Amino acid sequence: MRITQDYYLIVDVEATCANDNSIPRQRMEIIEIGAVILNSKTLQLESEYQSFIKPILHPLLTEFCKSLTSISQQDVEVAPLFPDALKEFQSWFYPFGSYIFCSWGDYDRNQFKQDCTLHGVGYPFPGGHLNLKKAFSVATGSKKKFGMTGALEKLGIELEGVHHRGIDDAKNIARIVRAILSS
Ligand code: AMP
Ligand code: MG
């Protein structure tokens, strides 16, 4: 889990979803980007970023999605489209210069690639990706794969904020990384 870059750019996205197969994986779209910058030397959180995004394929959020994420129709209705949100997001993290894009599992990276293809914009993370779910299993010497809540539980850390909100998930993931690195 240790890195040579100055910062962990920890990203967690929420996306359109349904519990009745009406939104297949390839048609899911990001509706929230949550991200934090964790200094890899001091382990301090230096900055955080949050944006909702207006989806285009399934503009109306399902009841299931609203209840899972606690994101409202109004939140996404007034939000920018993906290309504009991405520009703003990039202008937030680019100045940190030396960072590694991280997320819990590969889902967030794949969802970013999918949304970039959908909107015909460039993928913003050319510098690779650190899968923290895998890194957590390696660091704890466990063969098991842990969800974010399972990892918090294993470390005896209480979840802060609301699970399945991008910004809160990103902050909780940062607390897991900090706990591992400072142990
Ligand atoms: P998470 O980062 O765990 O909050 O999940 C990211 C996205 O994955 C959510 O915004 C949903 O689109 C999808 N997702 C997560 N959990 C579920 C679930 N139990 N059923 C359907 N979709 C889910
Ligand atoms: Mg999440």
Side-chain angles (χ1 to χ4, degrees):
M1 199 174 285
R2 295 207 179 272
I3 56 169
T4 54
Q5 292 86 347
D6 294 339
Y7 301 104
Y8 293 87
L9 167 60
I10 300 174
V11 179
D12 188 276
V13 302
E14 302 306 323
T16 52
C17 57
N19 57 351
D20 60 1
N21 299 324
S22 59
I23 305 183
R25 174 69 192 84
Q26 323 81 260
R27 287 178 59 87
M28 284 168 69
E29 288 169 89
I30 298 177
I31 55 172
E32 183 189 8
I33 299 173
V36 296
I37 284 279
L38 179 71
N39 186 307
S40 63
K41 312 286 183 310
T42 66
L43 303 184
Q44 295 300 304
L45 274 196
E46 295 210 356
S47 190
E48 62 180 75
Y49 178 88
Q50 191 276 341
S51 179
F52 293 117
I53 294 174
K54 191 182 173 106
I56 58 170
L57 300 177
H58 294 273
L60 213 54
L61 300 185
T62 63
E63 290 304 320
F64 174 78
C65 183
K66 289 188 279 190
S67 138
L68 178 79
T69 62
S70 69
I71 296 171
S72 71
Q73 187 62 39
Q74 172 75 3
D75 288 334
V76 297
E77 210 75 57
V78 298
L81 294 171
F82 181 76
D84 287 334
L86 185 63
K87 269 189 213 142
E88 194 197 61
F89 179 45
Q90 283 173 310
S91 60
W92 168 74
F93 72 78
Y94 273 5
F96 290 96
S98 164
Y99 56 81
I100 176 101
F101 167 43
C102 315
S103 64
W104 198 264
D106 281 332
Y107 163 72
D108 304 79
R109 181 190 58 178
N110 293 334
Q111 188 66 59
F112 255 102
K113 286 190 173 161
Q114 187 171 304
D115 285 55
C116 286
T117 303
L118 173 67
H119 289 272
V121 295
Y123 177 70
F125 308 113
H129 175 255
L130 174 60
N131 179 334
L132 293 170
K133 186 191 275 192
K134 272 193 194 158
F136 179 82
S137 292
V138 172
T140 56
S142 171
K143 289 204 176 78
K144 216 181 113 180
K145 279 188 182 157
F146 291 83
M148 182 197 79
T149 52
L152 285 168
E153 210 170 293
K154 186 171 167 67
L155 296 172
I157 303 175
E158 221 157 286
L159 187 140
E160 280 179 11
V162 182
H163 187 209
H164 299 303
R165 274 297 314 277
I167 185 60
D168 291 340
D169 286 353
K171 286 185 197 169
N172 280 308
I173 295 166
R175 293 163 71 226
I176 295 169
V177 173
R178 190 190 295 129
I180 292 290
L181 292 174
S182 49
S183 66

